[in-house]
Amino acid sequence: MSTTIERHLYDVVVIGAGGAGLRAAIEARLAGKRTAIISKSLFGKAHTVMAEGGAAAALGNVNSRDNWMVHFRDTMRGGKFLNNFRMAELHAKEAPERIWELETYGALFDRTKDGKISQRNFGGHEYPRLAHVGDRTGLELIRTLQQKIVSLQQEDFAATGSYDSRIRVFQETTITELLLDGDRVAGAFGYYRESGEFVLFEAPAVVLATGGVGRSYKVTSNSWEYTGDGHALALRAGATLINMEFLQFHPTGMVWPPSVKGILVTESVRGDGGVLRNSEQKRFMFDYVPDVFRKQYAETEEEADRWYTDPDNNRRPPELLPRDEVARAINSEVKAGRGSPAGGVFLDVSTRMPAEQIIRRLPSMHHQFKELADVDITKEPMEVGPTCHYVMGGVEVEPDTGAALGRVQGLFAAGEVSGGMHGSNRLGGNSLSDLLVFGKRAGEHAAAYVETLPSRPKVAKVDVAAAAEVALAPLVRPGGENPYTLQQDLQAVMGDLVGIIRRAGELTDALKRLQELRVRVANVGADGGRRYNPGWHLALDLRNMLVVSECTAKAALEREESRGGHTREDFPKMSPEWRRINLVCSLEETGEVHLERKPVPRMRAELITLFERTELAKYLTDEELSDVEAQ
Amino acid sequence: MKRHFRVWRGDAGGGDLRDFEVEVNEGEVVLDIIHRLQATQAPDLACRWNCKAGKCGSCSMEINGKPRLGCMTRMSTFAENELITITPIRTFPVIRDLVTDVSFNYEKARETPAFAPPSGVAPGDYRMQQVDVERSQEFRKCIECFLCQNTCHVIRDHDENKPAFSGPRSFIRAAELDMHPLDSRSDRKEYAQASQGLGYCNITKCCTEVCPEHIQITDNAIIPMKERVVDRRYDPLVWLGRKILRRDQLETRPAPSSVAAPPSSARLPASAAVGPDGHMDIAELTAPLQGGPSPFGDDLTFPIAPEELLYNHPDKGNKP
Ligand SMILES: Cc1cc2nc3c(=O)[nH]c(=O)nc-3n(C[C@H](O)[C@H](O)[C@H](O)COP(=O)(O)OP(=O)(O)OC[C@H]3O[C@@H](n4cnc5c(N)ncnc54)[C@H](O)[C@@H]3O)c2cc1C
Ligand code: SF4
Ligand code: SF4
Ligand code: FES
């Protein structure tokens, strides 16, 4: 095996080519920094491509009463007040600019009658707010950013004769380790998937934009890329993770046929009139409206149905409750024996709209069900159930800059890999806008950070050699364990014991099993050589999945309440005391996950007055409430 | 139920079809079977995939000879005892097993001039009507699976045409920008003609046929661009000539290579239906459909019989 290692020098290295990574890279390049974009899959295939519904931004195009304050309120409500308020504020304020900017890059959103960007309804958003393109918004977003990068490369080509001179994409390249100089980021080490050869990026600033962790679950809408690499890289570099107990289970994943189990049915099916029924044909969501939401949701089917055409004078249907509520409701119906044959519930648009309208408004859903499941959604209902979809938790960052907290400097994070913005639950559509807002910020501040450095941090040779050895280990380990089996076992532990409904006993058991798995993962082996060897790639991803799963299980055991994407059967209530606490994970020298409690930052006075007292009373402790009143 | 699969395995140095007996369950797609092979019999079998829902365009392969997405090909579409043969997409150099080097497509994308924003219109002030954006939106559905590129006979088995020909994926990009209501460049069609090799395309429609997004590549992008390029460049009388003469006789571009069949597979990449004079049929006039005969040859029907399927490495002495 060759030991030569290709070296590249950059100012900013962006790991991840989804919405967050591409937006960060654009900003770093615009700031004049030599920028590399690294991605595990081909350029333009990152997970963002799969987002369907839209990007939330208070453009006010459909309902002029919408503005950033309403959006901020919805976001905080959705996250059950655990969100980092500053991130939610920046997000609500800046999302419109970021969306409009996409149009200058060539994006073509669906339009309103007066030619503006059209916006659609979505769970948890008070007004129609999601800028969209049919149900392939993520594709539009990623293609637009991809093409913007191409256009920057064309400018560079005109100026320097090389497309790659200022911004270069390294596709099908996986980063396995971040390299430090003291506490400063010095570079990133990885391998080309195609050749299996190693590559070293020396750079003073790294932006993590690696997305989520869903691959640790059996039923998931996430692809093989979602192994929590960024989370794990950050931990190993000395950064911290917050809110790892909060995972979003999307309420409506396909449950039939088995091969497509987990694949998403977009929320816009419900936003556009689709309803949920159990095996008794009952619209059961009316029975599951929690008190905190009672005022905003319709109580009768008639009122709910009127809302689609007259949203100003009617309350919204309970099918549009935040995702965690819908997921839990479906889970309860199935447990109570009122589920569909394949263990989900029915989602029906066929009786609600004429076929042409369904095909026009939900073209890719129609296509997806037709091709994948042989179901015609204009004629029959779909069978859906909860699927692991999004991780709210992630790298703890400084809200304004995206800089990772903890010991390390020069590390930034944006997009799904970062934590805090969405609190305990993310509203649909808030992710795509999050990618743009914080991707831009991370790119900008990574570039600014590079400016402040007196000299470039240096990569130590021994660290590179060590990283190479770790990466090669599975290939040279005779009789190592099969990585696919290990992955299945990990998925079983997480799916069964740290799933949507959690219990102390099971979580303790999960932690024990994760320890056992850790020993086995240390002994993983891979057959075959270094060229495009998926077994080897999985073997290397496993240790990331494992450490991130440990964080999730530990935090889930610690948080003794139910909130958003974390439901404890033994602690079914939301607790105002727990709302003040963030759970923060770091990695000890020994490789053990260390968990600590940190206070949630307090909202500024002018923001907290955006809420009515009665609403605050549902979330805050009495002490906090009297503080608010005193202001 | 166990079923018989043949999968091409190998790399740039060569390879062959391997036989596998694999369990198949109800409701599965071809990509599921590949995953099962990886998990049970061939852990290092290389195959790209991401979304498993026909949205990312990663899992392009040739299934019983037909270019398709593995994740969108249901097992139930095959006959009970049908042997299923999976080979890499053939137009691009193989890296390993089912993974090919598709960088050609990214290079061509990089050469196509980007969107040129209208000057003086501030972000947020863009106004467009739905009917006007819809035409371009059709092309923006493209998931970049490159199946159209793989199928187009101008470059399938004709590496020599690759420098001059950007392929249908690039044509729809040019068309999309051409139809973009606010794009400020007005030379998209001329560019397609002069620099993307639009003239090589003889509207056989095979690209449209394989597009998993059902984009009407030929009818809605290529033909309108050709027509209007011709409109602008030539007077109406010459337009008639276009229908009678071979395209490359009209334009000053070098002629596409003559399509002599290279022995690159058991199934000869059928001569692209050229007549004895080495010219393509004047498709627009004679064919029942607009667009011409299949570049695979008219006598070829899919699926191809298993014994005729083979993937021969293009670099392994199979070149003419
Ligand atoms: C089916 C589905 C539908 C969704 N619908 C919506 C929606 O309608 N609205 C909405 O707002 N959100 C939606 N989401 C959520 C949203 O799409 C994601 O949260 C978001 O796209 C994440 O973007 P990202 O930029 O953080 O990362 P991603 O787009 O996931 O990109 C991650 C990148 O990191 C790279 N990477 C990872 N690890 C490494 C490594 N070790 N080395 C190198 N590269 C690495 C990957 O290759 C990839 O390029 C949806 C999600 C799913 C799964
Ligand atoms: S119509 Fe035929 S020749 Fe033209 S691009 Fe499509 S496949 Fe190629
Ligand atoms: S046009 Fe169709 S076939 Fe061609 S790359 Fe796009 S989606 Fe694939
Ligand atoms: S895996 Fe994404 S298209 Fe097949």
Side-chain angles (χ1 to χ4, degrees), chain B residues 148 151-154 165 167-168 171 200-208 217-218 222:
Chain B
C148 55
T151 308
C152 178
H153 66 97
V154 178
F165 185 76
F171 300 152
Y200 282 44
C201 161
N202 52 356
I203 24 187
T204 54
K205 287 200 185 187
C206 309
C207 48
T208 307
I217 304 173
T218 347
I222 296 178

Coordinates of all heavy atoms in Angstrom, one line a residue, chain B residues 148 151-154 165 167-168 171 200-208 217-218 222, ligand 2:
Chain B
C148 N -29.2 10.2 -19.7 CA -29.4 10.7 -21.1 C -28.0 10.8 -21.8 O -27.8 10.4 -22.9 CB -30.0 12.0 -21.1 SG -29.2 13.3 -20.1
T151 N -26.8 7.4 -22.8 CA -27.6 6.8 -23.9 C -27.3 7.4 -25.2 O -27.4 6.7 -26.2 CB -29.1 6.9 -23.6 OG1 -29.3 6.4 -22.2 CG2 -29.9 6.1 -24.5
C152 N -27.0 8.7 -25.2 CA -26.9 9.4 -26.5 C -25.8 8.7 -27.4 O -24.6 8.6 -27.0 CB -26.5 10.8 -26.2 SG -26.3 11.7 -27.8
H153 N -26.2 8.3 -28.6 CA -25.3 7.6 -29.4 C -24.1 8.4 -29.9 O -23.1 7.8 -30.4 CB -26.0 7.0 -30.6 CG -26.5 8.1 -31.5 ND1 -25.8 8.5 -32.6 CD2 -27.6 8.9 -31.4 CE1 -26.5 9.5 -33.2 NE2 -27.6 9.7 -32.5
V154 N -24.2 9.7 -29.8 CA -23.1 10.5 -30.3 C -21.8 10.3 -29.5 O -20.7 10.3 -30.0 CB -23.5 12.0 -30.3 CG1 -22.3 12.9 -30.7 CG2 -24.7 12.3 -31.1
F165 N -18.9 17.5 -28.0 CA -20.3 17.3 -27.8 C -20.6 17.3 -26.3 O -20.0 16.5 -25.5 CB -20.7 16.0 -28.4 CG -22.2 15.7 -28.3 CD1 -23.1 16.3 -29.2 CD2 -22.7 14.8 -27.4 CE1 -24.4 16.0 -29.2 CE2 -24.0 14.5 -27.4 CZ -24.9 15.1 -28.3
G167 N -23.7 17.0 -24.9 CA -24.8 16.1 -24.5 C -26.0 16.7 -24.0 O -26.1 17.9 -23.7
P168 N -27.1 15.9 -24.0 CA -28.4 16.4 -23.7 C -28.6 17.1 -22.4 O -29.3 18.0 -22.3 CB -29.3 15.1 -23.8 CG -28.4 13.9 -23.9 CD -27.1 14.4 -24.4
F171 N -27.6 20.4 -23.0 CA -28.6 21.1 -23.9 C -29.8 21.7 -23.1 O -30.2 22.8 -23.3 CB -29.1 20.2 -25.0 CG -28.0 19.7 -25.9 CD1 -28.2 18.5 -26.6 CD2 -26.9 20.5 -26.1 CE1 -27.2 18.0 -27.4 CE2 -25.9 20.0 -27.0 CZ -26.0 18.8 -27.6
Y200 N -24.5 18.0 -33.6 CA -24.3 16.5 -33.7 C -25.6 15.7 -33.4 O -25.8 14.6 -33.7 CB -23.3 16.1 -32.6 CG -21.9 16.3 -33.0 CD1 -21.5 17.5 -33.5 CD2 -20.9 15.3 -32.7 CE1 -20.1 17.7 -33.8 CE2 -19.6 15.5 -33.0 CZ -19.2 16.8 -33.5 OH -17.9 17.0 -33.8
C201 N -26.5 16.4 -32.7 CA -27.7 15.7 -32.3 C -28.7 15.6 -33.4 O -29.0 16.5 -34.1 CB -28.4 16.5 -31.1 SG -30.1 16.0 -30.9
N202 N -29.1 14.3 -33.7 CA -30.1 14.2 -34.8 C -31.4 13.7 -34.2 O -32.1 12.8 -34.8 CB -29.5 13.2 -35.9 CG -29.0 11.9 -35.3 OD1 -29.1 11.8 -34.0 ND2 -28.7 11.0 -36.1
I203 N -31.8 14.3 -33.1 CA -33.1 14.1 -32.5 C -33.6 12.7 -32.5 O -34.8 12.5 -32.9 CB -34.1 15.1 -33.0 CG1 -33.8 15.6 -34.4 CG2 -34.2 16.3 -32.1 CD1 -34.7 16.7 -34.9
T204 N -32.8 11.8 -32.1 CA -33.3 10.4 -32.0 C -34.2 10.2 -30.8 O -34.8 9.1 -30.7 CB -32.1 9.4 -31.9 OG1 -31.3 9.8 -30.8 CG2 -31.3 9.4 -33.1
K205 N -34.2 11.1 -29.9 CA -35.1 11.0 -28.7 C -34.7 9.9 -27.7 O -35.5 9.7 -26.8 CB -36.5 10.8 -29.1 CG -37.1 12.0 -29.7 CD -38.6 11.9 -29.6 CE -39.2 13.1 -30.3 NZ -40.7 13.2 -30.2
C206 N -33.6 9.3 -27.8 CA -33.3 8.2 -26.9 C -33.0 8.8 -25.5 O -33.3 8.2 -24.5 CB -32.1 7.5 -27.3 SG -32.2 7.0 -29.0
C207 N -32.5 10.0 -25.5 CA -32.3 10.7 -24.2 C -33.6 10.8 -23.4 O -33.7 10.5 -22.3 CB -31.6 12.0 -24.4 SG -32.3 13.1 -25.6
T208 N -34.6 11.3 -24.2 CA -35.9 11.5 -23.5 C -36.5 10.2 -23.0 O -37.0 10.2 -21.9 CB -36.9 12.1 -24.6 OG1 -36.3 13.2 -25.2 CG2 -38.2 12.5 -23.9
I217 N -36.7 16.1 -23.2 CA -35.4 16.7 -23.6 C -35.4 17.2 -25.0 O -35.1 18.3 -25.4 CB -34.2 15.8 -23.3 CG1 -34.2 15.3 -21.9 CG2 -32.9 16.4 -23.7 CD1 -33.2 14.2 -21.6
T218 N -35.9 16.2 -25.9 CA -35.8 16.5 -27.3 C -36.9 17.5 -27.7 O -36.6 18.5 -28.3 CB -36.0 15.2 -28.1 OG1 -35.8 14.1 -27.2 CG2 -34.9 15.1 -29.2
I222 N -34.2 20.5 -27.1 CA -33.3 20.5 -28.3 C -34.0 21.0 -29.5 O -33.4 21.9 -30.2 CB -32.9 19.0 -28.5 CG1 -32.0 18.6 -27.3 CG2 -32.1 18.9 -29.8 CD1 -31.6 17.1 -27.3
Ligands
SF4_2 S1 -32.0 13.3 -29.3 FE1 -30.6 11.6 -29.6 S2 -28.8 12.5 -30.5 FE2 -29.9 14.1 -29.6 S3 -29.1 14.4 -27.6 FE3 -30.8 13.0 -27.4 S4 -29.9 10.9 -27.6 FE4 -28.4 12.4 -28.3

